[in-house]
Amino acid sequence: MRVWHFSETAYPYLPPAEDYDSIRITLPNRYFDPVKGAELYNRYLDEWLIAEDEGLDIIVNEHHQTATCIDPAAPLILSALARQSTKARLLILGNPLANRKNPVRVAEEMAMVDVLSEGRLDVGFVRGVPYEVLPANSNPARMNERMWEAIDLINEAFTRHDGPFSFEGDFFHFRNVNIWPRPYQQPTPPIWVSSTSPGGARQIGARGYRLATFLTGFDGTRKVYDSYREGWRAAGLGDDVPTDRLSYSGMVYCADTEEEAYKGAEKLLWYVTSNKVPGHLANPPGYVPTAANLQIMRGAEHPLKAFQQKPSVENAIEKGIMFAGTPDQVYGQFKRMYDYVGGFGNFLMMGQAGFLEHDETVAGVKKFAREVYPRLQADFPGTRVSGY
Protein backbone atom coordinates (compact mmCIF):
# COMPACT_ATOMS: atom_id res chain seq x y z
CA MET A 1 0.00 0.00 0.00
CA ARG A 2 1.26 3.42 -0.99
CA VAL A 3 -0.33 6.63 0.27
CA TRP A 4 0.01 9.90 -1.63
CA HIS A 5 -0.59 13.33 -0.05
CA PHE A 6 -3.11 15.31 -2.09
CA SER A 7 -4.20 18.94 -1.94
CA GLU A 8 -6.31 20.68 -4.58
CA THR A 9 -4.49 23.92 -3.74
CA ALA A 10 -7.69 25.85 -3.14
CA TYR A 11 -8.07 29.60 -2.72
CA PRO A 12 -10.93 29.69 -0.18
CA TYR A 13 -10.97 33.42 0.67
CA LEU A 14 -14.12 34.26 -1.23
CA PRO A 15 -17.27 36.32 -0.69
CA PRO A 16 -20.44 34.52 0.44
CA ALA A 17 -21.58 31.93 -2.10
CA GLU A 18 -24.86 33.75 -2.65
CA ASP A 19 -22.85 36.66 -4.10
CA TYR A 20 -21.68 34.70 -7.15
CA ASP A 21 -23.20 32.26 -9.64
CA SER A 22 -20.33 29.82 -9.93
CA ILE A 23 -17.06 29.14 -8.12
CA ARG A 24 -15.66 27.89 -11.42
CA ILE A 25 -15.08 29.54 -14.79
CA THR A 26 -17.02 32.79 -14.32
CA LEU A 27 -15.91 33.93 -10.82
CA PRO A 28 -14.11 37.28 -11.35
CA ASN A 29 -10.40 37.08 -10.56
CA ARG A 30 -10.59 40.37 -8.67
CA TYR A 31 -11.33 38.10 -5.69
CA PHE A 32 -7.82 36.63 -5.98
CA ASP A 33 -5.25 38.44 -3.83
CA PRO A 34 -1.80 37.72 -5.34
CA VAL A 35 -0.11 38.23 -1.96
CA LYS A 36 -2.31 35.60 -0.33
CA GLY A 37 -1.88 33.44 -3.40
CA ALA A 38 1.91 33.53 -3.09
CA GLU A 39 1.63 32.53 0.56
CA LEU A 40 -0.63 29.62 -0.37
CA TYR A 41 1.65 28.32 -3.12
CA ASN A 42 4.62 28.24 -0.77
CA ARG A 43 2.54 26.76 2.01
CA TYR A 44 1.25 23.93 -0.17
CA LEU A 45 4.78 23.17 -1.39
CA ASP A 46 5.96 23.01 2.23
CA GLU A 47 3.16 20.61 3.12
CA TRP A 48 4.03 18.25 0.25
CA LEU A 49 7.63 18.19 1.46
CA ILE A 50 6.54 17.54 5.05
CA ALA A 51 4.43 14.66 3.77
CA GLU A 52 7.53 13.32 2.03
CA ASP A 53 9.48 13.55 5.31
CA GLU A 54 6.73 11.46 6.90
CA GLY A 55 7.10 8.72 4.29
CA LEU A 56 4.21 9.63 1.99
CA ASP A 57 4.35 10.08 -1.76
CA ILE A 58 3.08 13.19 -3.57
CA ILE A 59 0.22 13.80 -5.98
CA VAL A 60 -0.60 17.05 -7.81
CA ASN A 61 -3.41 17.94 -10.18
CA GLU A 62 -4.60 20.93 -12.16
CA HIS A 63 -7.81 22.82 -12.89
CA HIS A 64 -8.52 26.02 -14.76
CA GLN A 65 -10.27 29.31 -14.01
CA THR A 66 -11.47 28.23 -10.57
CA ALA A 67 -10.90 29.06 -6.91
CA THR A 68 -11.15 25.37 -6.01
CA CYS A 69 -7.67 24.77 -7.45
CA ILE A 70 -5.17 27.51 -8.22
CA ASP A 71 -2.78 25.15 -9.99
CA PRO A 72 -3.61 25.65 -13.69
CA ALA A 73 -0.24 24.23 -14.79
CA ALA A 74 0.56 21.14 -12.75
CA PRO A 75 3.86 20.47 -14.59
CA LEU A 76 5.20 23.74 -13.11
CA ILE A 77 4.40 22.70 -9.52
CA LEU A 78 5.67 19.22 -10.34
CA SER A 79 9.00 20.57 -11.58
CA ALA A 80 9.46 22.54 -8.35
CA LEU A 81 8.74 19.40 -6.32
CA ALA A 82 11.06 17.34 -8.53
CA ARG A 83 13.89 19.67 -7.52
CA GLN A 84 12.95 20.15 -3.85
CA SER A 85 11.98 16.60 -2.94
CA THR A 86 14.43 13.71 -2.79
CA LYS A 87 12.66 10.38 -2.33
CA ALA A 88 8.87 10.60 -2.82
CA ARG A 89 7.22 9.32 -5.96
CA LEU A 90 5.62 12.25 -7.83
CA LEU A 91 2.24 11.62 -9.42
CA ILE A 92 0.55 14.13 -11.70
CA LEU A 93 -3.13 13.28 -12.07
CA GLY A 94 -3.34 14.69 -14.30
CA ASN A 95 -2.77 16.10 -17.70
CA PRO A 96 -6.25 16.94 -19.16
CA LEU A 97 -5.45 15.54 -22.57
CA ALA A 98 -8.78 16.12 -24.33
CA ASN A 99 -8.29 19.84 -23.68
CA ARG A 100 -4.60 19.97 -24.60
CA LYS A 101 -3.95 20.77 -28.25
CA ASN A 102 -0.43 19.34 -28.38
CA PRO A 103 0.19 15.90 -26.81
CA VAL A 104 3.82 16.02 -27.92
CA ARG A 105 4.37 19.02 -25.65
CA VAL A 106 2.87 16.96 -22.79
CA ALA A 107 5.32 14.13 -23.56
CA GLU A 108 8.22 16.60 -23.49
CA GLU A 109 7.10 18.10 -20.17
CA MET A 110 6.69 14.69 -18.54
CA ALA A 111 10.01 13.37 -19.82
CA MET A 112 11.78 16.47 -18.51
CA VAL A 113 10.25 16.12 -15.03
CA ASP A 114 11.13 12.42 -15.00
CA VAL A 115 14.76 13.24 -15.75
CA LEU A 116 14.83 16.13 -13.28
CA SER A 117 13.50 13.86 -10.52
CA GLU A 118 15.84 11.02 -11.52
CA GLY A 119 13.01 8.65 -12.29
CA ARG A 120 10.46 9.40 -9.57
CA LEU A 121 7.61 10.45 -11.85
CA ASP A 122 4.25 8.71 -12.26
CA VAL A 123 2.40 10.15 -15.27
CA GLY A 124 -1.37 10.52 -14.98
CA PHE A 125 -3.86 11.40 -17.70
CA VAL A 126 -7.46 12.59 -17.39
CA ARG A 127 -10.15 13.47 -19.87
CA GLY A 128 -10.88 16.81 -18.19
CA VAL A 129 -13.87 17.94 -16.13
CA PRO A 130 -16.94 19.31 -17.94
CA TYR A 131 -16.65 22.82 -16.49
CA GLU A 132 -13.36 23.42 -18.29
CA VAL A 133 -14.54 22.65 -21.81
CA LEU A 134 -15.56 26.31 -22.21
CA PRO A 135 -12.30 27.98 -21.10
CA ALA A 136 -10.29 25.42 -23.09
CA ASN A 137 -12.31 26.33 -26.18
CA SER A 138 -12.73 22.59 -26.58
CA ASN A 139 -15.39 20.33 -28.08
CA PRO A 140 -17.23 18.31 -25.39
CA ALA A 141 -18.05 15.54 -27.87
CA ARG A 142 -15.65 12.63 -28.43
CA MET A 143 -13.40 13.71 -25.57
CA ASN A 144 -12.66 10.13 -24.55
CA GLU A 145 -11.54 9.31 -28.07
CA ARG A 146 -9.25 12.36 -28.12
CA MET A 147 -7.78 11.37 -24.75
CA TRP A 148 -6.95 7.82 -25.83
CA GLU A 149 -5.41 8.94 -29.10
CA ALA A 150 -3.28 11.46 -27.22
CA ILE A 151 -2.12 8.74 -24.80
CA ASP A 152 -1.15 6.53 -27.74
CA LEU A 153 0.88 9.37 -29.25
CA ILE A 154 2.59 10.17 -25.93
CA ASN A 155 3.43 6.51 -25.36
CA GLU A 156 4.97 6.33 -28.81
CA ALA A 157 6.96 9.50 -28.17
CA PHE A 158 8.26 8.00 -24.91
CA THR A 159 9.38 4.73 -26.48
CA ARG A 160 10.75 5.55 -29.95
CA HIS A 161 14.43 6.48 -29.90
CA ASP A 162 15.65 6.14 -33.48
CA GLY A 163 14.85 9.60 -34.76
CA PRO A 164 11.72 11.37 -35.98
CA PHE A 165 8.46 9.60 -36.72
CA SER A 166 5.14 10.91 -37.99
CA PHE A 167 1.75 10.42 -36.40
CA GLU A 168 -1.55 10.58 -38.26
CA GLY A 169 -4.64 10.04 -36.13
CA ASP A 170 -8.25 11.11 -36.19
CA PHE A 171 -7.55 14.14 -34.01
CA PHE A 172 -3.80 14.74 -33.94
CA HIS A 173 -1.37 15.07 -36.84
CA PHE A 174 2.39 15.48 -36.36
CA ARG A 175 4.99 15.24 -39.11
CA ASN A 176 8.09 15.14 -36.90
CA VAL A 177 8.06 13.67 -33.39
CA ASN A 178 11.42 13.20 -31.67
CA ILE A 179 11.29 14.33 -28.04
CA TRP A 180 14.35 15.55 -26.17
CA PRO A 181 14.90 14.57 -23.42
CA ARG A 182 13.50 11.05 -23.32
CA PRO A 183 12.21 9.67 -20.00
CA TYR A 184 14.59 8.58 -17.25
CA GLN A 185 12.45 5.48 -16.59
CA GLN A 186 12.44 2.94 -19.39
CA PRO A 187 10.44 2.17 -21.37
CA THR A 188 8.08 4.73 -19.76
CA PRO A 189 7.19 6.12 -16.35
CA PRO A 190 4.19 4.35 -14.76
CA ILE A 191 1.00 5.55 -16.48
CA TRP A 192 -2.25 6.26 -14.64
CA VAL A 193 -5.68 7.18 -16.02
CA SER A 194 -8.61 8.35 -13.90
CA SER A 195 -12.25 7.39 -14.20
CA THR A 196 -15.32 7.43 -11.99
CA SER A 197 -17.46 5.32 -14.35
CA PRO A 198 -17.47 1.55 -14.99
CA GLY A 199 -17.25 2.12 -18.76
CA GLY A 200 -14.13 4.24 -18.45
CA ALA A 201 -12.57 1.82 -15.97
CA ARG A 202 -13.08 -1.09 -18.35
CA GLN A 203 -11.09 0.70 -21.06
CA ILE A 204 -8.27 1.49 -18.64
CA GLY A 205 -8.15 -2.13 -17.48
CA ALA A 206 -7.99 -3.38 -21.06
CA ARG A 207 -4.87 -1.28 -21.58
CA GLY A 208 -3.24 -2.32 -18.31
CA TYR A 209 -2.76 1.22 -16.99
CA ARG A 210 -3.19 2.15 -13.35
CA LEU A 211 -6.70 3.32 -12.46
CA ALA A 212 -7.59 6.11 -10.03
CA THR A 213 -11.13 6.88 -8.93
CA PHE A 214 -12.21 9.77 -6.74
CA LEU A 215 -14.90 9.98 -4.02
CA THR A 216 -16.97 7.20 -5.58
CA GLY A 217 -17.85 5.67 -2.21
CA PHE A 218 -18.53 2.03 -1.43
CA ASP A 219 -20.86 0.94 -4.23
CA GLY A 220 -19.48 3.25 -6.91
CA THR A 221 -15.90 2.15 -6.31
CA ARG A 222 -16.86 -1.52 -6.30
CA LYS A 223 -18.52 -1.15 -9.71
CA VAL A 224 -15.54 0.76 -11.09
CA TYR A 225 -13.03 -1.85 -9.86
CA ASP A 226 -15.17 -4.77 -11.09
CA SER A 227 -15.24 -3.21 -14.56
CA TYR A 228 -11.49 -2.63 -14.52
CA ARG A 229 -10.90 -6.28 -13.69
CA GLU A 230 -13.30 -7.31 -16.47
CA GLY A 231 -11.40 -5.18 -18.99
CA TRP A 232 -8.04 -6.50 -17.81
CA ARG A 233 -9.08 -10.14 -18.17
CA ALA A 234 -10.91 -9.64 -21.47
CA ALA A 235 -7.73 -8.14 -22.93
CA GLY A 236 -5.79 -11.27 -22.02
CA LEU A 237 -3.60 -9.60 -19.41
CA GLY A 238 -4.09 -12.49 -16.99
CA ASP A 239 -6.59 -13.73 -14.43
CA ASP A 240 -4.96 -11.94 -11.49
CA VAL A 241 -5.20 -8.15 -11.25
CA PRO A 242 -2.53 -6.74 -8.90
CA THR A 243 -3.82 -4.32 -6.29
CA ASP A 244 -1.13 -1.82 -7.29
CA ARG A 245 -3.16 -1.16 -10.47
CA LEU A 246 -6.06 0.26 -8.42
CA SER A 247 -6.28 3.52 -6.49
CA TYR A 248 -8.89 5.34 -4.44
CA SER A 249 -9.05 8.94 -3.28
CA GLY A 250 -10.84 10.16 -0.18
CA MET A 251 -10.64 12.89 2.43
CA VAL A 252 -8.73 12.06 5.64
CA TYR A 253 -8.27 13.64 9.02
CA CYS A 254 -6.72 11.79 11.93
CA ALA A 255 -6.21 13.03 15.51
CA ASP A 256 -5.85 11.76 19.08
CA THR A 257 -9.57 12.16 19.80
CA GLU A 258 -12.67 11.79 17.67
CA GLU A 259 -13.77 15.31 18.58
CA GLU A 260 -10.51 16.84 17.41
CA ALA A 261 -10.51 14.76 14.23
CA TYR A 262 -14.07 15.74 13.36
CA LYS A 263 -13.20 19.42 13.70
CA GLY A 264 -10.46 19.01 11.11
CA ALA A 265 -12.63 16.79 8.91
CA GLU A 266 -15.42 19.39 8.95
CA LYS A 267 -13.05 21.85 7.28
CA LEU A 268 -12.14 19.30 4.60
CA LEU A 269 -15.81 19.15 3.56
CA TRP A 270 -15.32 22.55 1.89
CA TYR A 271 -13.95 20.57 -1.05
CA VAL A 272 -17.42 19.14 -1.68
CA THR A 273 -19.75 21.83 -0.36
CA SER A 274 -18.09 24.77 -2.14
CA ASN A 275 -18.56 23.38 -5.65
CA LYS A 276 -21.32 25.73 -6.78
CA VAL A 277 -21.62 25.39 -10.57
CA PRO A 278 -24.63 26.02 -12.87
CA GLY A 279 -25.96 23.16 -14.97
CA HIS A 280 -24.86 24.46 -18.35
CA LEU A 281 -21.23 24.35 -17.18
CA ALA A 282 -21.55 21.03 -15.33
CA ASN A 283 -23.05 19.15 -18.29
CA PRO A 284 -22.19 20.68 -21.67
CA PRO A 285 -23.87 18.97 -24.65
CA GLY A 286 -21.97 15.89 -25.75
CA TYR A 287 -19.86 15.50 -22.61
CA VAL A 288 -21.74 12.48 -21.22
CA PRO A 289 -23.32 9.67 -23.28
CA THR A 290 -26.94 9.98 -24.38
CA ALA A 291 -27.97 7.13 -22.08
CA ALA A 292 -26.52 8.93 -19.07
CA ASN A 293 -28.36 12.14 -19.98
CA LEU A 294 -31.60 10.17 -20.21
CA GLN A 295 -31.01 8.90 -16.68
CA ILE A 296 -30.41 12.47 -15.50
CA MET A 297 -33.68 13.60 -17.11
CA ARG A 298 -35.44 10.78 -15.28
CA GLY A 299 -34.14 12.00 -11.93
CA ALA A 300 -30.77 10.28 -11.52
CA GLU A 301 -28.07 12.37 -9.90
CA HIS A 302 -24.45 12.05 -8.88
CA PRO A 303 -24.11 10.67 -5.31
CA LEU A 304 -22.11 13.73 -4.26
CA LYS A 305 -24.99 16.01 -5.27
CA ALA A 306 -27.27 14.34 -2.75
CA PHE A 307 -24.52 14.53 -0.14
CA GLN A 308 -24.16 18.27 -0.71
CA GLN A 309 -27.75 18.77 0.48
CA LYS A 310 -26.97 17.36 3.95
CA PRO A 311 -23.20 17.34 4.35
CA SER A 312 -21.69 16.04 7.57
CA VAL A 313 -18.57 14.20 8.66
CA GLU A 314 -20.64 11.23 9.82
CA ASN A 315 -22.47 11.04 6.49
CA ALA A 316 -19.20 11.30 4.55
CA ILE A 317 -17.68 8.45 6.56
CA GLU A 318 -20.78 6.31 6.04
CA LYS A 319 -20.62 6.88 2.27
CA GLY A 320 -16.94 6.00 2.12
CA ILE A 321 -15.70 9.36 0.88
CA MET A 322 -14.04 10.36 4.16
CA PHE A 323 -11.91 8.63 6.78
CA ALA A 324 -11.86 10.55 10.06
CA GLY A 325 -11.29 9.87 13.74
CA THR A 326 -8.61 8.37 15.97
CA PRO A 327 -5.94 6.19 14.37
CA ASP A 328 -7.88 3.05 15.27
CA GLN A 329 -11.10 4.47 13.82
CA VAL A 330 -9.43 5.58 10.58
CA TYR A 331 -7.78 2.18 10.19
CA GLY A 332 -11.14 0.46 10.71
CA GLN A 333 -12.87 2.71 8.18
CA PHE A 334 -10.09 2.08 5.69
CA LYS A 335 -10.26 -1.70 6.16
CA ARG A 336 -14.02 -1.65 5.64
CA MET A 337 -13.59 0.13 2.29
CA TYR A 338 -10.67 -2.05 1.22
CA ASP A 339 -12.51 -5.30 1.92
CA TYR A 340 -15.76 -4.14 0.33
CA VAL A 341 -14.22 -3.14 -3.01
CA GLY A 342 -11.79 -6.03 -3.30
CA GLY A 343 -8.63 -4.19 -2.42
CA PHE A 344 -6.47 -1.43 -3.89
CA GLY A 345 -2.79 -0.66 -3.73
CA ASN A 346 -2.75 3.14 -3.69
CA PHE A 347 -4.62 5.65 -1.60
CA LEU A 348 -4.71 9.30 -2.69
CA MET A 349 -5.17 11.07 0.62
CA MET A 350 -6.83 14.47 0.53
CA GLY A 351 -5.41 15.71 3.81
CA GLN A 352 -5.87 19.39 3.05
CA ALA A 353 -8.76 21.39 1.63
CA GLY A 354 -10.55 24.69 2.13
CA PHE A 355 -9.90 26.42 5.43
CA LEU A 356 -7.83 23.65 7.03
CA GLU A 357 -4.85 25.70 8.14
CA HIS A 358 -1.19 24.76 7.85
CA ASP A 359 -0.70 23.58 11.45
CA GLU A 360 -3.92 21.55 11.30
CA THR A 361 -2.91 20.00 7.98
CA VAL A 362 0.53 19.03 9.25
CA ALA A 363 -0.88 17.58 12.47
CA GLY A 364 -3.37 15.42 10.55
CA VAL A 365 -0.76 14.22 8.05
CA LYS A 366 1.74 13.34 10.76
CA LYS A 367 -0.82 11.48 12.88
CA PHE A 368 -1.93 9.43 9.87
CA ALA A 369 1.60 8.78 8.62
CA ARG A 370 2.92 7.67 11.99
CA GLU A 371 -0.01 5.72 13.45
CA VAL A 372 -2.15 4.51 10.53
CA TYR A 373 0.10 4.18 7.49
CA PRO A 374 2.45 1.55 8.99
CA ARG A 375 -0.55 -0.67 9.73
CA LEU A 376 -1.86 -0.26 6.19
CA GLN A 377 1.53 -1.19 4.75
CA ALA A 378 1.74 -4.28 6.95
CA ASP A 379 -1.83 -5.52 6.44
CA PHE A 380 -2.40 -4.56 2.80
CA PRO A 381 0.82 -5.24 0.86
CA GLY A 382 0.98 -4.16 -2.75
CA THR A 383 1.73 -7.72 -3.83
CA ARG A 384 -1.86 -8.81 -3.16
CA VAL A 385 -4.24 -9.78 -5.94
CA SER A 386 -7.38 -7.66 -6.09
CA GLY A 387 -10.83 -9.24 -5.88
CA TYR A 388 -13.15 -10.80 -3.36
Side-chain angles (χ1 to χ4, degrees), residues 236-253:
L237 298 178
D239 292 332
D240 294 340
V241 180
T243 54
D244 71 356
R245 296 286 151 170
L246 301 173
S247 309
Y248 183 64
S249 180
M251 298 172 281
V252 177
Y253 201 83

Side-chain angles (χ1 to χ4, degrees), residues 324-357:
T326 66
D328 284 343
Q329 288 174 318
V330 170
Y331 174 84
Q333 294 160 11
F334 191 96
K335 185 177 187 303
R336 180 186 171 207
M337 168 64 82
Y338 185 98
D339 291 342
Y340 187 82
V341 302
F344 49 94
N346 296 276
F347 183 65
L348 313 178
M349 184 184 86
M350 181 170 284
Q352 193 288 321
F355 289 99
L356 193 70
E357 299 296 340

Side-chain angles (χ1 to χ4, degrees), residues 208-329:
Y209 296 135
R210 288 166 168 81
L211 163 74
T213 192
F214 293 78
L215 301 181
T216 38
F218 286 100
D219 292 333
T221 305
R222 190 171 189 170
K223 292 175 183 176
V224 166
Y225 287 178
D226 284 348
S227 292
Y228 180 94
R229 289 186 280 260
E230 290 171 5
W232 174 284
R233 292 171 182 139
L237 298 178
D239 292 332
D240 294 340
V241 180
T243 54
D244 71 356
R245 296 286 151 170
L246 301 173
S247 309
Y248 183 64
S249 180
M251 298 172 281
V252 177
Y253 201 83
C254 189
D256 287 325
T257 67
E258 182 183 273
E259 180 183 10
E260 184 183 0
Y262 277 31
K263 286 181 180 177
E266 186 73 33
K267 293 185 177 182
L268 289 177
L269 288 178
W270 185 92
Y271 175 68
V272 177
T273 59
S274 67
N275 196 35
K276 179 182 180 182
V277 184
H280 69 280
L281 293 176
N283 186 15
Y287 184 82
V288 301
T290 301
N293 270 324
L294 284 173
Q295 291 179 338
I296 293 171
M297 293 172 67
R298 290 168 179 161
E301 59 182 16
H302 193 284
L304 284 181
K305 186 174 182 181
F307 173 78
Q308 287 174 324
Q309 308 307 313
K310 292 185 67 175
S312 71
V313 171
E314 294 85 355
N315 193 10
I317 293 171
E318 183 60 29
K319 289 184 177 298
I321 64 174
M322 175 175 278
F323 306 81
T326 66
D328 284 343
Q329 288 174 318

